[in-house]
Amino acid sequence: ERARKFYQRGLQSCPNNVILWIQASRLEERAGEFDSSLRSGVTKARSLLELSRLKNPKNPELWVEAIRLERRAGNDKLAITLMARALQECPSSGLLLAENITTAPRVEQKSKSADAIKKCPDDPRVIAAVASLFASERKLEKARKWFERAVVLDPDVGDSWAKYYLFETGTGSSGKKEKIKERCIAAEPKHGELWCSVMKEMANRRKSVGEGLELVANKIQQQQELLN
């Protein structure tokens, strides 16, 4: 309850703070899991995210959070509907287009990739999502080429390095894997959705870039296992 009041005060003062909206919705989602006497946590989280989008239109991060909320709750049809609405409102969002590739049924992933590349040919999130698709199809050289393109486009995005590193881990090439780690350490990435969330955890604040790379790669692997 204290945390809820903290978020309420924060959102009254800073209604354009996207991170506050997302954290407040996650609090409600978790609260519903722990206390069955509360109104469904997902319902309250959904309402908060709807309000957040009214106050902050055309915001891809808020759309992605709403879509993921529904997927976590098992509401896949609603998640698909939200994605369609999100792409109407933010048609050139690399974040949304990459998410659309990753979560689409396998038979639709190629067409989603082609559409995303047309709209955002230089977005590292889209390029890395396409690379991951090639990797899942065991088109290893194509995947390597696209992962390379992603890290060259923006070396500051830690998520791209972690995906590339995980890919080379899976191919069994220890030399290539270590080379990726060396390049990542030299680049000192500071951005990326997963990179930031992992590296900002209290337990990881003193971790080196190399250690962070391992942690984020493991997190991506866990996410992939959940999707498959």
Side-chain angles (χ1 to χ4, degrees):
E1 193 58 42
R2 284 175 65 191
R4 185 179 284 122
K5 285 178 180 174
F6 170 80
Y7 282 125
Q8 285 171 351
R9 285 199 301 272
L11 289 170
Q12 283 171 359
S13 302
C14 309
N16 301 122
N17 189 313
V18 170
I19 293 170
L20 263 184
W21 283 108
I22 290 172
Q23 293 302 326
S25 74
R26 288 180 186 172
L27 174 72
E28 296 300 345
E29 184 184 5
R30 288 194 302 272
E33 292 170 6
F34 290 115
D35 190 345
S36 57
S37 67
L38 292 172
R39 188 160 65 99
S40 166
V42 171
T43 303
K44 290 190 84 171
R46 184 186 295 128
S47 298
L48 262 180
L49 289 171
E50 285 171 356
L51 181 60
S52 75
R53 296 196 305 275
L54 283 173
K55 292 182 179 290
N56 301 278
K58 298 186 178 180
N59 187 285
E61 286 82 7
L62 292 172
W63 276 113
V64 164
E65 185 63 24
I67 291 159
R68 290 176 182 169
L69 170 70
E70 301 306 340
R71 290 201 182 279
R72 289 193 294 268
N75 301 325
D76 287 350
K77 285 187 178 177
L78 183 50
I80 291 166
T81 301
L82 284 173
M83 178 61 82
R85 286 174 55 200
L87 287 170
Q88 281 185 329
E89 193 170 288
C90 311
S92 300
S93 163
L95 176 64
L96 281 166
L97 290 165
E99 184 82 5
N100 199 28
I101 295 167
T102 305
T103 58
R106 186 165 286 277
V107 292
E108 295 177 18
Q109 284 181 312
K110 275 190 180 174
S111 61
K112 305 280 188 198
S113 296
D115 181 55
I117 293 163
K118 277 184 193 171
K119 289 176 178 171
C120 291
D122 296 320
D123 190 296
R125 293 165 298 191
V126 169
I127 302 304
V130 173
S132 296
L133 176 58
F134 284 133
S136 71
E137 295 172 343
R138 305 302 295 167
K139 295 176 179 174
L140 303 185
E141 284 309 313
K142 273 192 172 182
R144 187 171 286 117
K145 177 183 168 186
W146 283 73
F147 278 126
E148 185 63 30
R149 187 175 162 198
V151 297
V152 169
L153 270 171
D154 192 347
D156 198 39
V157 179
D159 292 15
S160 301
W161 287 109
K163 288 175 183 176
Y164 197 179
Y165 182 76
L166 180 62
F167 166 73
E168 293 296 5
T169 302
T171 63
S173 172
S174 59
K176 284 178 176 161
K177 182 177 99 167
E178 289 309 309
K179 189 70 178 172
I180 297 302
K181 182 183 271 191
E182 287 169 16
R183 290 171 61 198
C184 178
I185 291 167
E188 295 185 347
K190 299 285 191 301
H191 293 95
E193 183 185 2
L194 269 176
W195 185 270
C196 290
S197 71
V198 169
M199 295 303 276
K200 285 178 181 176
E201 288 177 18
M202 287 303 295
N204 300 332
R205 288 194 173 235
R206 295 185 180 274
K207 300 282 188 192
S208 67
V209 172
E211 290 169 324
L213 181 67
E214 298 271 0
L215 288 168
V216 178
N218 287 338
K219 186 93 171 174
I220 292 167
Q221 187 168 30
Q222 289 167 10
Q223 290 182 345
Q224 288 175 350
E225 286 167 0
L226 284 173
L227 280 171
N228 298 333

